[in-house]
Amino acid sequence: MSLPSSLFDQDIAEIINKARFAGATEVRRLAPGDIVVEKQMAAYCREPGCPNFGQSPSCPPHVAGPAAFVELQGRSRAALMVRIEVPSAVLFSDERREVMRLLHEIVAGIEQAAIARGYAGSRSFAGGSCKDLFCIDHPECRVLSENGPCRNPDAARPSMSGFGVNVAKTLEMAGFTEPDKTRPAVKGEEATSWVAGMVLII
Ligand code: SF4
């Protein structure tokens, strides 16, 4: 006979279901201590360098970085890894931004659902730069140019890499394997790929 799950476990299960409904292919819970953080991952944003470096508050050098992430990790009750699987060709097409924006929306939605359930310090992270994904048609980030608040506060979230998260290793720790080609979203495609985000439940 299985033991009744705790209220926390029930909350997490409901949040995961909600994320799947919103478009996540898979969401996995892992112990916060299993997130792999490496200072070097954040250093790569500067050298050899990313074109998004410094373009928004969600990327280095404007994010608090690995040390701050480790502090958040220590306060977290659980971590959720979110993955959206797509045909690889999509990530090399005009649809890439659409997929990445969906990823940001899903992790931000999980974060807000967790906060609504009383996990008030919960924080979400995605990938890519919000400047490139949400404000590509604007010359500047409104926050960095001090011209007002973020244009997309309900969706734009910081990049995991800027905080030193080794995404590939952390997905492995969460038990993710190669995309399952039998899933309806990717069935019949020869090559599949994924984008990933994370939520710390605090
Ligand atoms: S205004 Fe645009 S670039 Fe600046 S933080 Fe918000 S989404 Fe990112």
Side-chain angles (χ1 to χ4, degrees), residues 55-58 129-136 138 140-145 148-153 155-157:
Q55 297 293 308
S56 77
S58 58
S129 160
C130 62
K131 174 68 177 65
D132 174 62
L133 298 173
F134 295 97
C135 290
I136 186 76
H138 296 276
E140 289 179 316
C141 165
R142 199 156 68 177
V143 179
L144 290 185
S145 61
C150 174
R151 298 182 185 95
N152 301 282
R157 290 297 181 272

Side-chain angles (χ1 to χ4, degrees), residues 77-99:
R77 295 185 64 174
L80 299 178
M81 289 301 290
V82 178
R83 198 159 85 167
I84 302 175
E85 294 172 8
V86 290
S88 300
V90 168
L91 298 185
F92 295 97
S93 74
D94 292 344
E95 292 174 85
R96 178 187 69 85
R97 282 196 181 87
E98 217 172 294
V99 174

Side-chain angles (χ1 to χ4, degrees), residues 105-123:
E105 286 162 12
I106 290 172
V107 295
I110 294 175
E111 172 198 281
Q112 291 306 306
I115 290 171
R117 283 169 170 76
Y119 309 109
S122 297
R123 294 274 300 273

Side-chain angles (χ1 to χ4, degrees), residues 140-183:
E140 289 179 316
C141 165
R142 199 156 68 177
V143 179
L144 290 185
S145 61
E146 299 184 352
N147 278 325
C150 174
R151 298 182 185 95
N152 301 282
D154 296 335
R157 290 297 181 272
S159 141
M160 286 187 282
S161 309
F163 284 89
V165 176
N166 184 319
V167 179
K169 285 187 188 170
T170 303
L171 286 171
E172 270 180 40
M173 294 298 288
F176 279 94
T177 55
E178 285 304 299
D180 178 354
K181 291 183 180 161
T182 63
R183 289 188 206 282

